[in-house]
Structure formats: C-alpha cells, structure tokens
Amino acid sequence: MRQSLSEQQAATIYQYQLVKRKIIRPELVQSHILIAVIFVAFQLLMYGRAGLFSWLFGFAVIQVIHLIILLLTFIRVEEAADRRWVWGITPPWFGFKPANDIKLQLFRRVHRQLFWLGLCGTGILYPWISESLMISIICWHLWLIVPRLLLSIAFRKQKKEGILRLGKYEASYYHR
C-alpha cells in the first residue's frame, strides 16, 4: 500500500531525507483565528464602525506592504523557483507563502525582513493614518508573521542548507 509523503516517517525527496517535522495542532490554529476575532471585537468596542473598517482595510494594507517587501527582497534572488510565492487564506498560513519547497536559510531571511521592514513601513505611515488603522496594521502584521517566526524558531538548530516544505497542518525540514 502506498503512503502519502506526509505519512512516511523517513521520506526522501530528490536526495533529501526528512530530518524534522513540526505538526501544527488544530488547537493552535483555532487559537490563532480566535485572536483575530478578539481583535475585531476590540476594534468594534473602541472605535465602532470605523474600527471595523480599519480592521478590514488594515488587512489589505498589510498585504500590500508584505507584497512590496517580498518583491524587493526577491530582486536579488537568482533562482526563479525561489521567487514563486502564492497568496492564500488557509490557516495557519494566511497571506503570502512559498509555493514550492524553499531553502530554510531563504525562508528565515525573507521572514526576518518581512518582520522588520513591515514594522518600519507601518511606522512610516504613522503621521497620515488614524489611530485605529495604525493599531489594525500593526496587529495584522504581527498576526500574519508570528506563525512563520515561530516556525523559524522551531527549526533554528537545523542546518541552513536544508529544504523546508509547508503543508496544510505541518512543516517538514529535509536535508541531504
């Protein structure tokens, strides 16, 4: 009987062997979504309809900021396969994520840059936007990037040359 790749314990992909798999538990995904619900409730209580608008508009603004940062980051990347990212709303990978397997070093670098440049880009907008929109943008930015940073921390002891594969509810690290 043939097993899927995620069910195999010692899977090998193109000379790469599975070294570590991080399962993302459903409770963690549900709590992550619950944070967004609490956040919209806070915006509604504090700012009313303007808070709801800020909540929705802030999500769109942070997606644009993340897209700009990704495009600027990948100007220097030589391999076209490393540039292929897709946008999705599949928990816990909301927003942009790699479409294919990605080098762990590149994943870490991109998300570190997304984190810091996203905060800086949000700070640049500070003088021109309302308080509720500023709170929304910062909270959405953190909400989107924290699962990826936690994944980087989970694989921090692994060699940088390995490959990272993101599944729906798992992340797998492969190395030669």
Side-chain angles (χ1 to χ4, degrees):
M1 183 166 133
R2 213 160 177 197
Q3 295 178 328
S4 70
L5 186 61
S6 61
E7 295 170 348
Q8 296 177 15
Q9 293 299 322
T12 302
I13 302 176
Y14 302 113
Q15 308 298 322
Y16 287 87
Q17 186 173 10
L18 179 63
V19 175
K20 184 175 182 181
R21 176 176 288 138
K22 177 72 176 162
I23 303 295
I24 296 134
R25 296 176 35 176
E27 298 85 17
L28 186 63
V29 174
Q30 292 167 357
S31 65
H32 186 64
I33 293 171
L34 182 63
I35 290 170
V37 172
I38 291 170
F39 173 53
V40 73
F42 169 78
Q43 286 284 57
L44 280 170
L45 286 173
M46 294 299 292
Y47 303 105
R49 287 188 181 182
L52 179 62
F53 172 76
S54 295
W55 185 77
L56 293 170
F57 189 65
F59 184 77
V61 167
I62 206 61
Q63 291 300 318
V64 170
I65 290 172
H66 282 192
L67 177 63
I68 291 168
I69 293 168
L70 281 173
L71 292 174
L72 291 174
T73 300
F74 289 132
I75 287 174
R76 296 187 49 155
V77 175
E78 293 91 20
E79 297 178 28
D82 289 340
R83 293 187 210 165
R84 186 147 158 31
W85 286 54
V86 294
W87 188 85
I89 54 171
T90 308
W93 314 121
F94 291 98
F96 292 98
K97 72 173 196 150
N100 304 321
D101 301 340
I102 186 169
K103 294 177 184 172
L104 182 60
Q105 181 178 10
L106 180 62
F107 181 83
R108 286 179 179 165
R109 186 181 78 197
V110 166
H111 285 91
R112 189 173 46 245
Q113 289 176 359
L114 262 177
F115 177 73
W116 289 111
L117 292 175
L119 286 178
C120 291
T122 303
I124 290 171
L125 297 174
Y126 174 71
W128 298 285
I129 61 176
S130 68
E131 177 182 338
S132 65
L133 185 56
M134 184 69 173
I135 292 170
S136 291
I137 292 172
I138 290 172
C139 288
W140 276 124
H141 174 65
L142 293 174
W143 188 82
L144 288 168
I145 206 79
V146 161
R148 289 122 198 243
L149 293 177
L150 290 175
L151 194 60
S152 291
I153 291 170
F155 293 119
R156 72 185 175 277
K157 293 183 180 180
Q158 305 304 323
K159 296 178 182 177
K160 299 178 200 175
E161 300 84 29
I163 301 292
L164 184 66
R165 172 177 281 180
L166 298 178
K168 186 171 182 176
Y169 292 111
E170 69 178 22
S172 303
Y173 172 76
Y174 298 88
H175 196 265
R176 288 185 189 215

